[in-house]
Amino acid sequence: MGAAMRRIHVGNALSAFGLGFTVPYLYVYVAQVRGLGAVTAGLVLAVFAVAALIVLPFAGRAIVRRGPLPVLLTALVTAAVGALSLGLASNATAVLLSAAVLGAGQAVMQPALATMIVDCSSAETRSRAFATQFFLQNLGLGVGGLIGGHLVDATRVSSFTLLFAIEAAMFLLLVVVMVTVRMPRSPQIEVAPAAASAKGSWQQLLGNRAMVQLCVLGFVLFFACYGQFESGLSAYGVEAAGISTSALGTALAANTAMIVVAQFLVLRFVERRRRSRMIAVVGLIWAVAWVAAGYAGLGHGSQEMVTAAFVSTYALFGLGEAMLSPTVAPLVADLAPRGMAGQYNSAFALVKQLALAVGPAVGGPMGASLHAPYIVTFLLFSLGITVLALRLGRQLTEAQDQPWRARSRVVTRGGATEPVPAEA
């Protein structure tokens, strides 16, 4: 791992650490501490999603034209301003405007950091680099949330102001770290001049059939898993399974623990398998997770068995996430023409935000009241992941689906270069 990649990973950990301080307590802060009510708190969460959807289509083009580092620095300063403003805001208008600024900055960080990882890695090291990123993000979120929980006091506004100030400080510290990164020379864009415009680059992306299928698959992945964690699945656990808040916290901890423990063990297994088949296996694992959730809420076991099944659901989701981190993000990079990784990363981040916006809206009401239909629906979505992944595999070249095998054949034939024509 080179110096640039080490700093990028430090940056990922710092940004996640800062987010962990505030994300779990945002609803309580707006609705109760500031006394603005549940409706305003819900609007704040919606504003985060809307801000991301607005800025991400432009972020990709900016990354391609200016490079990921300047875009990241701009996003970090924007997010720091938004976080500090949110901690000081006392009325609904100020809270919503601050949330929009913070949400826009946070949204742009993801594709910018992902593009920096692509530019500082090779096809051989990319899966491990993205696995490390995912590991550090979850570790940072967990540690930040744990420390933030001990600092916060719902009776004192100043304690929440401190949390948002710490988040802003983390973003500014990350600016200092990222300024020292020496990025390799940006690759030239391998597209026709007519496609160099923003409209043309999106047309070129939409003409990539494999990328379009991956975006559809990505939407289902995020909709059926990440979009349910803190909405439908938690509501289902409380209403249908009678899960206590402490048990729900244990389930979330089990998810993070599984990722932290299994990430690099899983990586050894995933690196030598077809990417499309590994995503298909994740769909099957999540189907088992939904079966366990169904037993927890619809079965007739003891409370201990119900709690164990519910915690297992989150742990199985974590295992699937650990398998996806070294698979999906590198695949997005390998599908991108040279120099277009920022555009492709931003497009995939946009799909993720759409799924995270729609997922809670659909899953929340279903999980709270339509218990059996909720389980059946998302069980079918998980099986759909498997089907979509296998179909995607038919669109991928060997270098995209099995990069390790393509490299080994070049070595065997005595070739001097890696056959990865789509490397960004």
Side-chain angles (χ1 to χ4, degrees):
M1 190 185 300
M5 186 66 79
R6 284 196 296 271
R7 287 175 171 82
I8 293 169
H9 285 321
V10 168
N12 273 299
L14 286 174
S15 63
F17 182 68
L19 290 172
F21 270 97
T22 59
V23 170
Y25 315 108
L26 188 58
Y27 183 90
V28 174
Y29 170 69
V30 176
Q32 299 178 9
V33 177
R34 288 297 184 183
L36 299 177
V39 174
T40 303
L43 286 175
V44 166
L45 298 177
V47 163
F48 273 96
V50 171
L53 295 177
I54 291 173
V55 300
L56 281 173
F58 303 99
R61 185 61 186 163
I63 292 171
V64 171
R65 291 176 63 89
R66 305 297 181 186
L69 184 55
V71 174
L72 175 62
L73 296 177
T74 302
L76 288 169
V77 173
T78 302
V81 171
L84 191 58
S85 300
L86 192 56
L88 297 173
S90 58
N91 58 70
T93 300
V95 165
L96 292 173
L97 289 175
S98 300
V101 174
L102 177 57
Q106 288 178 0
V108 177
M109 286 183 211
Q110 180 183 351
L113 283 167
T115 305
M116 291 177 71
I117 290 176
V118 172
D119 290 345
C120 292
S121 64
S122 65
E124 184 177 9
T125 62
R126 195 162 291 150
S127 292
R128 188 166 294 272
F130 277 105
T132 303
Q133 177 201 33
F134 189 68
F135 169 84
L136 291 173
Q137 282 179 339
N138 280 273
L139 190 62
L141 284 170
V143 174
L146 182 64
I147 296 175
H150 286 85
L151 293 177
V152 75
D153 183 351
T155 63
R156 292 189 300 115
V157 175
S158 60
S159 67
F160 285 86
T161 302
L162 175 62
L163 289 190
F164 285 104
I166 292 174
E167 181 181 29
M170 289 297 105
F171 292 143
L172 294 177
L173 177 60
L174 182 50
V175 170
V176 175
V177 173
M178 289 294 105
V179 166
T180 66
V181 174
R182 295 293 177 262
M183 296 292 297
R185 184 177 180 181
S186 299
Q188 296 297 313
I189 302 175
E190 291 184 352
V191 293
S197 66
K199 181 179 178 181
S201 61
W202 279 103
Q203 289 177 339
Q204 186 268 347
L205 185 151
L206 293 174
N208 187 330
R209 187 172 179 180
M211 182 60 188
V212 171
Q213 288 193 14
L214 180 58
C215 286
V216 173
L217 175 58
F219 180 89
V220 178
L221 282 168
F222 292 111
F223 176 78
C225 175
Y226 300 89
Q228 304 307 312
F229 271 178
E230 296 177 3
S231 58
L233 190 55
S234 58
Y236 169 85
V238 173
E239 298 294 340
I243 297 296
S244 64
T245 53
S246 61
L248 182 59
T250 301
L252 290 168
N255 175 265
T256 302
M258 175 64 78
I259 293 170
V260 171
V261 171
Q263 182 63 84
F264 293 104
L265 297 176
V266 168
L267 179 62
R268 293 176 179 272
F269 176 78
V270 170
E271 280 183 319
R272 295 290 177 175
R273 268 71 178 181
R274 287 180 180 269
R275 287 168 169 171
S276 58
R277 291 183 181 175
M278 288 299 95
I279 300 173
V281 170
V282 171
L284 296 178
I285 292 173
W286 286 355
V288 174
W290 284 109
V291 170
Y295 169 79
L298 306 175
H300 302 285
S302 64
Q303 190 59 43
E304 290 77 12
M305 292 294 293
V306 166
T307 301
F310 193 74
V311 172
S312 298
T313 299
Y314 276 80
L316 288 170
F317 276 129
L319 177 60
E321 292 173 76
M323 295 176 66
L324 288 176
S325 62
T327 305
V328 175
L331 181 54
V332 173
D334 288 345
L335 286 173
R338 191 170 182 83
M340 291 291 291
Q343 185 81 42
Y344 277 57
N345 283 324
S346 294
F348 198 75
L350 179 63
V351 169
K352 176 181 178 180
Q353 287 296 328
L354 282 170
L356 294 180
V358 175
V362 174
M366 287 187 68
S369 56
L370 303 173
H371 303 149
Y374 177 71
I375 294 298
V376 172
T377 297
F378 286 94
L379 173 61
L380 293 176
F381 268 109
S382 296
L383 295 176
I385 290 171
T386 300
V387 175
L388 290 172
L390 294 176
R391 289 186 61 186
L392 173 64
R394 303 190 191 109
Q395 299 293 325
L396 302 177
T397 66
E398 183 177 66
Q400 292 164 349
D401 203 19
Q402 305 177 83
W404 60 274
R405 178 170 290 183
R407 288 194 300 272
S408 64
R409 286 185 178 179
V410 169
V411 173
T412 301
R413 294 172 184 171
T417 58
E418 292 181 348
V420 188
E423 183 178 346

